Amino acid sequence: MNTHLTRPVHAGRRRLTVPLVALALGAALALPACAASGSGALGPAPTVSAPRSQSPSPSTPPPTTKTPAPTPGTSASEGPTRTSPPRPPGQPPGTTSASPRPKDPGSPGKVHTFQLWFVRDGALAVTSRTRPWTPAVAHLAVTELVAGPSAVEAAAGMRSPIRTDTTFSIASYSRGVASIDLPSSFFAGGRTLARQRQAQVVYTLTQYPTFSKVEFRINGAGNMPVGRADYADLLPPIVVTSPHIGAAVTSPVTVSGTANVFEATVSIRILDASGAEIATAFTTATCGTGCRGSYSTAVRFAVGRTQPGTIQVYEVSAENGSRIHVVDIPVTLSP
């Protein structure tokens, strides 16, 4: 079986298998800043907000060493604990419920905005979702990831190598590592597709500070945990984290993301429904020419009516002045 997992097994992690376990994440959400290694800042952390008024891997089978059974009282959503949670009324002694969670009296009406990482033109690409708030934010993110791109995102070239019938099971969570059991089909199709799928999961889950790495496992046997740096080669020169594909924008619109471009210079232009250029701008990333840095700038534009448009982010070629590494973000422009 070609699993594309080659790192040594980490024995000793506690294992509790529950379907797409709900993960309560209470810590403040933030992502790393620019790093010389090339991984760099990868966009804003997900947010929780009030509702709007209107609306590496050669092909080697994984080791067969089994992870020891979990200690009672440990759940993937809560992290390792040394005491068992209270048993719900009517539950037989010696059993534990999957991820018991008290209701959050402050959650009704809140929404949660988070990132999803798909593939576009063979490289990683990010979009976002806004959904009703839930304590199980990682469960929500993985569920949406498996569901795949929206129709608008697919029309713009986004796709997901992950099958929509893929099942995930969080086997354990310990010290910032999420151990995920997956079917062997997840690693099928060759090394390129397997790495893309793994990168999608890693980048989507590690947007939360609770996770820094992911361990991929088949039937309880896994390999060394991996993080974003292990898949940094799958990032395109320019990543646009905001606005996302299909967003409705007004002037000024904030354009942000990360880039590894010549002299850190990121150029932007806005096109109206006819393709006419109605605004231009440029900004400087925090790192460039061999390292990835973050960028953000507000761009003003004017339109007489609501219409489809495109925000185009690109690098100007140092050789001939042409636009290269172009990223088109279809949006709706409003006055």
Side-chain angles (χ1 to χ4, degrees):
M1 178 172 60
N2 183 4
T3 64
H4 309 279
L5 299 173
T6 61
R7 300 193 175 186
V9 171
H10 271 208
R13 284 201 174 82
R14 295 189 285 266
R15 184 173 187 271
L16 178 62
T17 302
V18 292
L20 285 177
V21 106
L23 306 177
L25 306 175
L29 305 175
L31 290 174
C34 172
S37 66
S39 58
L42 292 163
T47 60
V48 176
S49 59
R52 299 181 181 179
S53 57
Q54 295 182 334
S55 356
S57 314
S59 303
T60 303
T64 57
T65 303
K66 296 290 183 178
T67 303
T71 301
T74 302
S75 75
S77 62
E78 297 169 344
T81 59
R82 295 189 180 274
T83 59
S84 298
R87 191 169 64 250
Q91 181 173 304
T95 63
T96 57
S97 59
S99 307
R101 215 173 245 103
K103 292 183 178 180
D104 178 359
S107 62
K110 290 184 180 179
V111 294
H112 173 53
T113 299
F114 54 96
Q115 295 177 347
L116 296 179
W117 289 80
F118 294 122
V119 175
R120 193 182 193 193
D121 297 326
L124 289 172
V126 64
T127 187
S128 68
R129 297 283 187 272
T130 298
R131 298 289 184 262
W133 190 86
T134 170
V137 288
H139 176 197
L140 177 62
V142 173
T143 300
E144 293 283 349
L145 181 66
V146 171
S150 67
V152 173
E153 292 161 350
M158 276 194 170
R159 66 183 185 86
S160 176
I162 300 175
R163 291 171 51 113
T164 56
D165 61 354
T166 299
T167 57
F168 289 81
S169 178
I170 307 299
S172 65
Y173 158 64
S174 177
R175 298 181 181 180
V177 176
S179 296
I180 303 183
D181 271 318
L182 292 154
S184 59
S185 59
F186 182 85
F187 304 96
R191 181 176 184 272
T192 297
L193 286 177
R195 290 193 76 235
Q196 287 177 350
R197 295 182 190 114
Q198 288 174 290
Q200 287 181 256
V201 174
V202 167
Y203 273 73
T204 296
L205 278 181
T206 58
Q207 70 184 289
Y208 302 113
T210 309
F211 304 111
S212 59
K213 292 187 176 183
V214 175
E215 180 191 38
F216 292 94
R217 298 160 39 138
I218 299 177
N219 298 324
N223 287 67
M224 198 76 159
V226 288
R228 287 190 171 195
D230 294 287
Y231 303 95
D233 60 300
L234 296 182
L235 290 171
I238 297 174
V239 174
V240 180
T241 56
S242 181
H244 62 268
I245 291 173
V249 302
T250 57
S251 181
V253 55
T254 298
V255 181
S256 59
T258 68
N260 180 356
V261 293
F262 181 68
E263 294 185 344
T265 303
V266 179
S267 298
I268 303 161
R269 65 179 189 153
I270 300 178
L271 311 177
D272 66 11
S274 68
E277 184 179 281
I278 58 174
T280 61
F282 72 90
T283 188
T284 303
T286 56
C287 197
T289 313
C291 62
R292 181 170 294 273
S294 58
Y295 66 88
S296 181
T297 190
V299 184
R300 295 189 176 277
F301 66 90
V303 290
R305 60 179 176 83
T306 298
Q307 60 188 280
T310 303
I311 295 178
Q312 193 173 85
V313 187
Y314 59 96
E315 175 185 359
V316 175
S317 171
E319 294 182 2
N320 55 26
S322 63
R323 288 185 287 271
I324 59 176
H325 307 312
V326 177
V327 180
D328 287 331
I329 307 296
V331 296
T332 299
L333 306 173
S334 295

